Amino acid sequence: MKIRRGSIELHITDTAGSGHPVVILHGLAGSSTELAATAAALGDHRVVTLDARGHGRSTRFPDDVSREAHVADVVFVIESVLGRPVSLVGQSMGGHTALLVASARPDLVERLVLLEAGVGGDGDDRSRSDLHRFFTSWPAPFVDETHARAFLGDSSLARAWMADLEVRPDGLWPRFDPDVMVATIAHVDAHPRWQEWCSLDVPSLAVFGAEGMFSAAVKDEFVSRGRHVQRVDLDGGSHDAHLDAFPQWIDALKAFLAPAHGTEHHDS
């Protein structure tokens, strides 16, 4: 369903479970579609997933893609849809957003789970140029799924992108615009958010894929500078470990979201 915040339409899914609420945020150029299996695996939890502005079925060309705008969207969803504190889960850019939400509104976040996420500030003009070159190289619209698969390949991430292609009369289109993606990640790249991370006083779980995007030193620093952090490393998982290391990801997530974790802190 869609809800409106000002000029922005936000697409959300809601499992309407009776258990503790969980909000899950996807990464750059993704959507809530790739989180459907994670939401379903959480059983009785009430799980809400959100298409970030500029992504999925939310407003395609928002006039503001700042970190503050993304944070405000999540706060709006928590307050207007759920009306109570939640466990907040985010992958990659969604994890960066989740971190900032927990910092800005600790009253709304009881537990924080970050999958392949950090404090940001690690991109530059070259990385953004490479990203833009990749997305603009897509021969969109794709004629059909076979055409899309021939270009994108058969990785777990490629399959997620293909599952989310928008059907139009002229073919299959990605649900994001390359320029919007680059503008969005530029705000994540602007500066590292160590102050926000180091000041968090919420039980947190940092999950990394063994084949993810962060070096051992970066992962160690991130966890050591947090205040109440558990760490899980997933064997064989990539940056998209929620897709290619799904059983291990769900085991780690469900263990951390178990009721006992809601009443105590777990130090790294």
Side-chain angles (χ1 to χ4, degrees):
M1 68 176 180
K2 289 187 177 181
I3 58 176
R4 179 169 288 276
R5 188 176 86 82
S7 62
I8 300 297
E9 281 193 332
L10 298 171
H11 178 265
I12 67 170
T13 65
D14 185 351
T15 65
S18 60
H20 182 80
V22 180
V23 174
I24 313 181
L25 310 176
H26 63 80
L28 187 77
S31 81
S32 58
T33 300
E34 70 191 63
L35 298 170
T38 294
L42 292 182
D44 291 336
H45 287 279
R46 181 180 179 182
V47 184
V48 171
T49 61
L50 163 68
D51 284 353
R53 55 175 58 210
H55 294 73
R57 292 162 178 80
S58 291
T59 296
R60 182 73 58 93
F61 296 97
D63 57 6
D64 184 358
V65 293
S66 67
R67 296 282 71 209
E68 291 76 14
H70 281 83
V71 167
D73 288 343
V74 177
V75 169
F76 177 76
V77 169
I78 295 173
E79 291 186 327
S80 64
V81 177
L82 296 164
R84 58 176 290 194
V86 304
S87 294
L88 188 56
V89 181
Q91 184 262 341
S92 192
M93 184 195 74
H96 191 265
T97 305
L99 185 163
L100 297 182
V101 171
S103 175
R105 292 294 305 272
D107 58 309
L108 296 180
V109 181
E110 291 185 345
R111 282 163 284 185
L112 179 67
V113 180
L114 306 178
L115 172 60
E116 278 288 306
V119 296
D122 46 2
D124 54 24
D125 288 341
R126 180 174 180 177
S127 63
R128 290 188 293 275
S129 177
D130 289 344
L131 185 70
H132 188 267
R133 186 178 304 109
F134 170 63
F135 285 140
T136 56
S137 74
W138 290 26
F142 297 107
V143 175
D144 52 27
E145 290 186 8
T146 300
H147 182 215
R149 186 176 297 106
F151 178 80
L152 294 172
D154 195 39
S155 68
S156 58
L157 179 57
R159 291 194 296 273
W161 273 328
M162 286 187 287
D164 205 35
L165 290 170
E166 180 181 4
V167 179
R168 300 184 192 173
D170 59 345
L172 305 178
W173 289 85
R175 291 188 184 272
F176 57 83
D177 176 80
D179 291 335
V180 174
M181 295 302 95
V182 172
T184 299
I185 202 64
H187 289 279
V188 179
D189 292 340
H191 62 275
R193 299 298 189 118
W194 284 116
Q195 181 177 353
E196 290 88 342
W197 172 238
C198 295
S199 65
L200 282 184
D201 193 27
V202 58
S204 302
L205 177 67
V207 184
F208 300 103
E211 306 300 327
M213 68 175 290
F214 298 104
S215 69
V218 168
K219 290 185 282 192
D220 289 346
E221 181 183 17
F222 181 72
V223 174
S224 67
R225 293 181 66 174
R227 298 182 64 184
H228 305 290
V229 189
Q230 286 185 322
R231 172 177 173 175
V232 172
D233 292 277
L234 306 179
D235 293 339
S238 73
H239 185 61
D240 300 289
H242 60 301
L243 300 174
D244 57 28
F246 182 77
Q248 301 97 308
W249 157 241
I250 292 300
D251 286 347
L253 181 59
K254 291 174 72 172
F256 186 72
L257 296 181
H261 284 85
T263 58
E264 57 182 317
H265 285 166
H266 295 261
D267 296 333
S268 59

